[in-house]
Amino acid sequence: MSTANNTLSIFALGGVNEIGKNMYALEYLNDILIIDCGSKFPDESLLGIDLIIPDFSYLQENQERIRALIVTHGHEDHIGGIPYFLKTLNVPIYATRFTLGLIELKLKEHRLLGETRLELINSESRLKFGEIEVSFFKVNHSIPDCLGIVFDTPEGRVVHTGDFKFDLTPVNQQYADIHKMAEIGRQGVLVLLSESTNAERPGSTTSERVVGTHIEEAFAKAERKVIISTFASNVNRVQQVIDAARKTNRKLALLGRSMVNVVEVARERGYVDIPEGMLIDQSQINHLAPEKVAILCTGSQGEPMAALARLSSNNFRDVSILPDDTVILAASPIPGNERGVSKIIDNLFQLGAHVIYGSGSTTGMHVSGHANQEELKLMLTLMKPTYFVPIHGEFRMLHQHRLLAESVGVERENTFIITNGDVVDVQNSVARQTRRIQAGNTFVDGVGVGDIGSIVLRDRKQLSEDGMLVIVITLSKSERKIISGPDTISRGFVYARDSEELLNEVNRLVKSTVNDLLDDNVQQWNVMKQSIKKSIGQYLFSQTKRKPMILPIIIEV
């Protein structure tokens, strides 16, 4: 389904009514431009799923019209889906220097680097794709080299803010282009797409510079090792940790593959400054006095296999957390990760560590990279859009952002709260939302992409909750009678030795069911299996109130 010839279409394939897997697109005439291609992690209900990425079906159907993938910044929820996207659609990628470095790491891992066209852009770049001209402006965020994007089309100007906040004292000296934003707004913005993550939080976000002071104070007070965990991609925070280690005369070890890789990219490209001789290998940690060591590691979100989780369970080679070590969590849990983080904090306290956790004014160890209400209103005021599409947030956040837009003069009927797949069409500079395209989740499980659907997940859920029962029975092909079995194997349902009476009754019921079918000359295996499942399922539920997965196996000899 393509647009009418003179219609500008804006749609989301991910990132609205959810946190994560951001992916948006603009379509005009024969050109489609994509903004970001992120991923998100599954919740506990998606058993065995490693990653969630957007559904690329619509883009695959229109691949000959896709001109570029433009990336606003290097966080996982904006670049995590790129390798999977490129395996189906080889499209040029436009991104800033640091973002390209992180993308290259992913492409090397997936062996796609040599096949992909990567184009370097900055805030002064100007691109043209058919009738669409693209320019950029700098924004502050919790990662270097972040951009907002301006699309000038014959129908009007569309602005995508990317993830942003207004930090007037950024630690990396990358100041937001506030004057440029004001000029973009003065020239006229038809549609603004702006992130909504912190739309429920009043006031303004604290400057990242405040965190550096608190980290230095904690390092100075620590009597033994300091272990600090943060997002690997938060290079500004990494530099603050390096500065604190230098001021307290500590060596620094990096733990966790993503931390090592990101710091290497940041160091190569000049985004972090690490004094000569400061970095040590993890094998050297125990050879130095504890008060001379700092460890920077992954795992601030409670990931079970990340460095901090393994340290908290004394399961990390060469490194242990000992009583009176200081552990700092310099990140707040993403919604959904609270339980995993709490478990790690409990484990750390049990080890006798001094644990500093909690964001904002509680500890000063973390500030958000996203704009609070006053900053969101400032962006709206600078851009002065005719139409507004809140993005990057769950429904309550999008709704709150709409109220903020109304408070600064955007007409209520000119705000579109969309879901993934909704299309905002602009014709003659008038925007409407009346149609949808295919959008949704694609599950990544190991090397499989999109091969796990709702039926498989339902089966996994059933197995995890009630276990399974395998029933093996052997039939004589010539005599049409049971010659062996049934044998019943329980896995995750009941322990066989403690449930002999129950399983004997199951075997009796199976034998009775099969004999009745053979007497009625029913020989189709699928009918036999369904009958066994039904009779055994009803019996087991009546006895145990559980519904294990029942797998009948019929062998003919």
Side-chain angles (χ1 to χ4, degrees):
M1 174 175 58
S2 61
T3 59
N5 284 342
N6 61 343
T7 301
L8 169 67
S9 296
I10 304 161
F11 52 91
L13 292 169
V16 289
N17 274 320
E18 65 180 343
I19 298 291
K21 73 175 182 66
N22 291 277
M23 191 177 204
Y24 312 91
L26 269 78
E27 185 175 353
Y28 186 76
L29 297 177
N30 289 316
D31 303 305
I32 297 175
L33 301 180
I34 303 166
I35 308 160
D36 294 337
C37 181
S39 62
K40 72 175 183 179
F41 292 110
D43 60 32
E44 294 173 349
S45 67
L46 299 174
L47 299 166
I49 300 302
D50 299 319
L51 206 61
I52 305 171
I53 58 175
D55 181 350
F56 304 138
S57 301
Y58 179 79
L59 298 176
Q60 288 171 317
E61 293 167 9
N62 295 274
Q63 56 185 308
E64 73 284 350
R65 298 193 291 128
I66 300 173
R67 304 293 172 240
L69 167 58
I70 304 170
V71 184
T72 58
H73 66 284
H75 277 147
E76 283 295 310
D77 58 336
H78 296 260
I79 68 170
I82 288 177
Y84 307 98
F85 175 76
L86 291 175
K87 287 174 184 176
T88 56
L89 296 156
N90 196 346
V91 173
I93 296 175
Y94 293 78
T96 53
R97 193 158 171 265
F98 184 64
T99 306
L100 279 184
L102 298 180
I103 292 171
E104 285 175 8
L105 280 178
K106 293 188 170 296
L107 299 188
K108 282 178 188 173
E109 186 180 331
H110 288 261
R111 299 180 182 175
L112 293 168
L113 188 55
E115 305 167 19
T116 306
R117 181 179 149 201
L118 299 175
E119 298 287 347
L120 179 66
I121 56 173
N122 58 41
S123 61
E124 301 304 316
S125 298
R126 299 192 74 85
L127 310 172
K128 188 167 175 60
F129 303 97
E131 295 291 314
I132 304 174
E133 293 185 9
V134 184
S135 56
F136 306 91
F137 56 93
K138 281 189 225 172
V139 293
N140 301 124
H141 190 39
S142 55
I143 190 172
D145 286 4
C146 300
L147 295 176
I149 311 174
V150 181
F151 301 92
D152 283 304
T153 78
E155 283 293 327
R157 173 172 286 170
V158 179
V159 175
H160 184 293
T161 64
D163 287 7
F164 76 95
K165 67 177 182 177
F166 287 102
D167 189 342
L168 302 181
T169 56
V171 293
N172 59 6
Q173 307 301 312
Q174 292 188 356
Y175 295 91
D177 282 331
I178 297 177
H179 293 294
K180 195 171 187 178
M181 295 178 209
E183 181 59 21
I184 291 165
R186 191 190 65 78
Q187 293 171 2
V189 172
L190 183 67
V191 183
L192 174 67
L193 289 79
S194 181
E195 73 127 323
S196 312
T197 312
N198 283 355
E200 298 172 292
R201 297 186 185 179
S204 298
T205 311
T206 308
S207 172
E208 185 79 22
R209 194 174 292 273
V210 173
V211 177
T213 305
H214 289 285
I215 290 175
E216 287 178 13
E217 289 174 357
F219 270 56
K221 290 178 183 176
E223 297 175 358
R224 291 178 52 85
K225 289 197 302 289
V226 176
I227 298 96
I228 183 165
S229 181
T230 190
F231 293 108
S233 59
N234 193 338
V235 174
N236 300 338
R237 189 75 45 79
V238 170
Q239 184 64 60
Q240 290 172 325
V241 172
I242 293 165
D243 293 342
R246 177 179 53 80
K247 290 181 180 178
T248 54
N249 198 26
R250 293 175 184 266
K251 299 291 186 181
L252 182 66
L254 306 176
L255 301 185
R257 186 166 61 97
S258 61
M259 184 65 73
V260 172
N261 289 340
V262 170
V263 171
E264 185 179 337
V265 169
R267 194 178 192 184
E268 284 175 359
R269 300 185 179 221
Y271 292 91
V272 295
D273 179 21
I274 305 177
E276 195 68 34
M278 173 180 279
L279 284 184
I280 58 171
D281 187 77
Q282 68 184 59
S283 61
Q284 299 173 263
I285 291 172
N286 292 332
H287 298 294
L288 295 170
E291 66 273 14
K292 297 296 182 184
V293 175
I295 297 170
L296 178 58
C297 67
T298 56
S300 61
Q301 295 304 304
E303 306 95 316
M305 295 308 294
L308 187 62
R310 290 159 59 201
L311 286 168
S312 75
S313 57
N314 265 333
N315 189 29
F316 204 106
R317 185 167 54 88
D318 297 331
V319 187
S320 297
I321 293 178
L322 299 173
D324 295 324
D325 283 347
T326 298
V327 183
I328 303 168
L329 275 73
S332 59
I334 293 170
N337 294 346
E338 295 90 349
R339 186 183 299 177
V341 173
S342 295
K343 177 66 175 172
I344 287 173
I345 292 169
D346 284 346
N347 290 347
L348 292 169
F349 275 116
Q350 287 178 6
L351 293 174
H354 173 50
V355 189
I356 303 173
Y357 63 98
S359 61
S361 58
T362 312
T363 64
M365 291 299 176
H366 177 69
V367 295
S368 176
H370 300 276
N372 285 5
Q373 290 181 353
E374 294 306 310
E375 297 154 279
L376 294 174
K377 288 194 285 187
L378 176 57
M379 179 64 80
L380 285 157
T381 302
L382 290 169
M383 293 297 174
K384 302 183 182 70
T386 304
Y387 296 99
F388 176 52
V389 182
I391 58 170
H392 198 306
E394 295 170 351
F395 186 84
R396 66 185 187 280
M397 303 166 189
L398 307 182
H399 174 75
Q400 187 62 46
H401 205 171
R402 176 175 67 183
L403 298 180
L404 296 176
E406 285 180 45
S407 73
V408 296
V410 178
E411 297 290 337
R412 183 181 181 85
E413 61 271 18
N414 286 3
T415 296
F416 298 98
I417 295 184
I418 61 174
T419 59
N420 293 329
D422 286 346
V423 182
V424 176
D425 287 321
V426 181
Q427 196 167 21
N428 300 322
S429 297
V430 176
R432 295 183 179 85
Q433 196 285 300
T434 57
R435 64 188 183 97
R436 285 182 54 79
I437 59 171
Q438 183 172 335
N441 293 329
T442 299
F443 299 129
V444 179
D445 185 357
V447 296
V449 180
D451 57 348
I452 304 298
S454 58
I455 294 173
V456 174
L457 289 172
R458 185 192 66 199
D459 288 348
R460 288 181 179 179
K461 187 171 187 292
Q462 186 180 1
L463 284 168
S464 73
E465 291 177 349
D466 294 324
M468 67 186 293
L469 211 62
V470 180
I471 301 167
V472 183
I473 190 165
T474 306
L475 303 180
S476 168
K477 192 171 186 179
S478 57
E479 299 179 29
R480 309 305 304 167
K481 68 177 185 178
I482 299 170
I483 59 174
S484 176
D487 295 315
T488 303
I489 304 162
S490 170
R491 291 292 182 269
F493 171 54
V494 292
Y495 183 50
R497 289 184 181 177
D498 295 340
S499 308
E500 286 186 14
E501 188 177 331
L502 179 74
L503 296 181
N504 286 338
E505 181 61 20
V506 166
N507 289 339
R508 191 197 66 76
L509 264 176
V510 172
K511 188 178 288 189
S512 172
T513 302
V514 172
N515 284 332
D516 287 348
L517 291 169
L518 291 174
D519 290 344
D520 292 338
N521 206 29
V522 175
Q523 299 179 11
Q524 296 93 337
W525 283 13
N526 63 324
V527 176
M528 284 189 176
K529 288 181 178 180
Q530 287 302 322
S531 297
I532 291 170
K533 283 183 181 180
K534 184 177 180 181
S535 61
I536 301 306
Q538 289 174 343
Y539 171 71
L540 291 176
F541 185 74
S542 70
Q543 297 298 309
T544 67
K545 294 297 182 281
R546 282 182 271 165
K547 294 181 178 180
M549 181 176 287
I550 300 167
L551 295 179
I553 299 174
I554 300 173
I555 303 169
E556 269 192 341
V557 293

